[in-house]
Amino acid sequence: MKALLICEYRQGKLLESTYELLAFADVLAAERVMLLVGTEAAAPKFDGKVYLADSGVYGEFNPDLHKRLFLDVVQKEHPDYIVFIHSPYGWDLAPRVAAALKAAQVSEIIGVKEGKFEVPSCNAKLRRLVSPRSAQVVLTIQAGAFSPQGKPAGTPQIEQVSIEAGSSRVEFIGYEAAEKKEVDLAKAEVIVSAGRGVGKKENVEVIAALARALGGELGATRPVVDAGWVEHTRQVGSSGQTVSPKLYVACGISGAIQHIAGMKKSGFIVAINKDKDAPIGEVADVLVVADVMQFIPALLARLKK
Amino acid sequence: MKILVCVKQVPDMESRFKVNSEGVWYDEKDLAFKLNEYDEFALEQAVRVKEQLGNTVDITVLSIGPDRVVEAIKKGLAMGGDRGIHIKDDHPWQKDPWQIASVIAAFARDKNFDLVFTGLQSQDRGSAQVGGILAELLGFACATTLVAFELNGDLVTVRQELDGGMCAILKFKLPAVVTCQMGLNTPRYPTLPNIMKARQKELLAFPVTNFIGPKNLAATERMYLPEKKGHGLVLEGDVNEVADRLVGVLKEKTTVLR
Ligand SMILES: Cc1cc2nc3c(=O)[nH]c(=O)nc-3n(C[C@H](O)[C@H](O)[C@H](O)COP(=O)(O)OP(=O)(O)OC[C@H]3O[C@@H](n4cnc5c(N)ncnc54)[C@H](O)[C@@H]3O)c2cc1C
C-alpha cells in the first residue's frame, strides 16, 4: 500500500498540518510519498521521497495547475491513496483529482475501523463508516484528528516535478489577509460566547452582561458574526481566533468542529444549550440543558448577589 | 445567461437523530427538513446576478430527492429562481457524491449553463464534493468556499476562503461552477407575494433513472451514534436551581469567582 500525501504551503511556509498526513499514513500502515508545491527550503522533515513542484512556476494557490501536477505524480507513483487535509485547499482539490481519476473520495476522516473510514455526519451527531469501491482512493482527513508523535525529523529525498504549465483557467491574483484583531481574545481569562441559539441581536446584550459579570470578554460563533450581531474581531474558531481562557461559556452554540477547534483548549467549559445532544456536550465540563434567555438572567441574578 | 443552482434538503441539525432499520442512514421519520444552509447563499448569489443583469438571466433551481424536496425548490423559486427541476429519487443517500454529481451533469450537459452555484457542502453528509466533481464532469472552471463574488461580462472575480480567515483572490472566465460559503451574502426571506408568484413558476419532475450513469464509487457500510465521550456534568431542571448548582461548580472548579 502506498499513500501520496499532499502538503500544504502558504506564503513561503509549509503548514504544520502537513505532518498530520504522515500520522494518518502510519495508521494505514502505508508507504509514504509526499508532494509539495512550494520551495525546497520549506520541504517537510521526513525520511522519504518528496516530489517538489516550484511554487514560483505553478503558483501557491492555483487549483487548476496543482490538480494537473498531482495527476502527473499519481501516474508516476501509482499510489493506492491520495491524501489531503480536509481544509479549504484540500476540499477544493480532492474532488477534482478524484473525478479525473474516477476514484472514490472519502471526506473528513476521523478514524480507520475495520479497514473502512469513519467520518462525521450531521454536525458530528452521527458517524458513518465508508468503504471505497475503486482501486485508487482520494481521502481528506479532519484537521487535528491524527496527531503526529514527537517532533518532525528527517531529510527528504527531493524529486523535482514539472508539467507543461500551459494556460490555467483560473488566475490567482493574490491573498487577502484576515482582518486585524482589535480585540485580543487570547489574553482573556474568561470568554462568554454567543451562538445562533441566542435568537436575535438584542439578546446578545444579555450574553455580554454575563461576560462583564465574570470579568471577561464577549465571543461569538461565525453565523452570529456574519449576521452582524457581533463584530468579526470576536469570532472564535478556525476562521476566527483560537482561545484558551480559564473559563469558556458557550451560549446557544451547537459545537461545530470549526468552532471547537478554536476553544477546546479552554481550562473549563460550560455550555448552555436546549439540545441535550448538541455536540458541544462532547467538550463541555458542564452542559446546562436550558433556554439561554431564561437561564442567563437567572445566573446573572446569582452572580450579582 | 443561464444559471443553475443545485440545492439539497437536509434535516434540522437540532433534531434527535436515530439510525434507520438498515443501519446505513438516519431514520427520516419525525425529522423536520429544510433547505441546506450553504445552498441559501448559492440561491441568493444567483438572484443577485439576475438583479445585476436583468431579465436576460434565467435561473434553474434543481434538487434530487423524494417529494419533500419540492419545498426546497419552491423556496428557491420564491427567492427569485425562474424554474424548478425535481429529479425524483426516494433514496438519494444511497448515491455517493460522485453519482449525485453525475446525475446533475447528465441533466446539465446539453443545457448550456453559464454558471452553476452550489453550497460548499451539505449539512448532513458534509462531503464538500459535488461541486468540484460537477465542474470536472462539465469541464467548467471551478472555485470553492466563496465569501465574495463579482461578475463583469464573462469574467468572474471571487474571494475564496482559506484557513484562519485568509482569502485567495481568483479570476476566471465563464462557464464555471462555484461553491458558496457562509457569509458570502445575507440570504433574503421570501416575501408573501413572491411565495404566491413562485406557485405559478414552472416545476418539472423527472425520474432519476433518466439521468443514471456510472455506479457508486463508495458506499456507507454503517451509520451509528458516536460513543459519548463527554465526561461532563449535565445539569437540567428548574433554571434557578441549576444556576445555583453552576455557581457552586464554578467556585469549586475554577478560580474565576473568587
Ligand atoms: C471553512 C469553515 C470555517 C468556519 N469557521 C468557523 C469559525 O471560525 N467559528 C465558528 O463558530 N464557526 C465556523 N464555521 C461554521 C460552523 O461550521 C458552524 O456553522 C457554526 O459554528 C455554528 O454556529 P452556532 O453554534 O452559533 O449555530 P448553530 O449550529 O445553528 O447552533 C445553534 C445552537 O443553539 C441551540 N439553541 C437554539 N435555541 C436555543 C435556546 N433558546 N436556548 C439554548 N440553546 C438554543 C441549538 O440547539 C443549537 O445547538 C466555519 C465553517 C466552515 C465551513
Side-chain angles (χ1 to χ4, degrees), chain A residues 9-37:
Chain A
Y9 175 92
R10 193 142 309 130
Q11 293 186 303
K13 289 203 194 87
L14 183 75
L15 301 195
E16 276 299 308
S17 57
T18 298
Y19 293 103
E20 298 175 19
L21 297 166
L22 288 167
F24 176 69
D26 287 342
V27 173
L28 292 178
E31 183 194 335
R32 309 173 305 179
V33 178
M34 304 191 90
L35 167 49
L36 167 68
V37 187

Side-chain angles (χ1 to χ4, degrees), chain A residues 211-243:
Chain A
R212 284 193 299 273
L214 291 167
E217 289 283 352
L218 174 71
T221 63
R222 178 164 179 159
V224 164
V225 168
D226 285 347
W229 299 357
V230 172
E231 65 269 37
H232 176 258
T233 49
R234 294 183 183 275
Q235 184 182 312
V236 174
S238 62
S239 54
Q241 298 196 51
T242 303
V243 300

Side-chain angles (χ1 to χ4, degrees), chain A residues 182-199:
Chain A
E182 286 144 39
V183 187
D184 189 3
L185 293 179
K187 289 204 187 87
E189 296 214 330
V190 176
I191 296 173
V192 182
S193 286
R196 193 143 51 173
V198 305

Side-chain angles (χ1 to χ4, degrees), chain A residues 97-158:
Chain A
V97 171
L101 294 169
K102 299 211 172 7
Q105 183 190 333
V106 187
S107 302
E108 206 185 353
I109 296 168
I110 55 171
V112 182
K113 268 191 183 173
E114 307 153 27
K116 302 175 186 102
F117 300 105
E118 186 178 29
V119 302
S121 282
C122 296
N123 199 11
K125 284 187 164 183
L126 289 162
R127 300 266 187 277
R128 282 195 308 136
L129 207 57
V130 185
S131 66
R133 297 278 161 82
S134 57
Q136 268 178 333
V137 184
V138 175
L139 306 172
T140 66
I141 60 171
Q142 189 181 82
F146 299 89
S147 312
Q149 307 275 322
K151 270 210 154 64
T155 313
Q157 204 186 302
I158 305 265

Side-chain angles (χ1 to χ4, degrees), chain B residues 93-152:
Chain B
W93 48 269
Q94 291 176 345
K95 295 188 172 57
D96 66 353
W98 158 254
Q99 249 198 336
I100 293 288
S102 301
V103 167
I104 299 170
F107 165 81
R109 194 158 281 132
D110 57 358
K111 309 257 179 343
N112 297 316
F113 288 109
D114 301 284
L115 194 46
V116 182
F117 288 97
T118 73
L120 157 64
Q121 60 184 353
S122 61
Q123 288 175 282
D124 57 352
R125 208 162 170 131
S127 295
Q129 293 182 25
V130 169
I133 299 172
L134 183 60
E136 200 66 25
L137 292 174
L138 295 174
F140 284 14
C142 177
T144 61
T145 324
L146 300 195
V147 288
F149 176 95
E150 209 186 285
L151 180 68
N152 276 309

Side-chain angles (χ1 to χ4, degrees), chain A residues 88 91 123 125 194-199 220-224 235-241 251-260 272-276 278-280 288 290-293, chain B residues 13-14 37-38 120-121 123 145 161-162 181-182:
Chain A
W91 72 57
N123 199 11
K125 284 187 164 183
R196 193 143 51 173
V198 305
T221 63
R222 178 164 179 159
V224 164
Q235 184 182 312
V236 174
S238 62
S239 54
Q241 298 196 51
C251 307
I253 293 177
S254 65
I257 172 76
Q258 294 90 356
H259 187 75
I260 290 185
I272 299 138
N273 201 303
K274 64 173 188 183
D275 177 7
K276 199 174 172 177
I280 191 79
V288 173
D291 184 304
V292 264
M293 292 318 291
Chain B
M13 291 302 135
E14 289 168 29
E37 182 173 14
Y38 296 90
L120 157 64
Q121 60 184 353
Q123 288 175 282
T145 324
E161 180 176 323
L162 303 173
Q181 159 72 323
M182 216 173 256

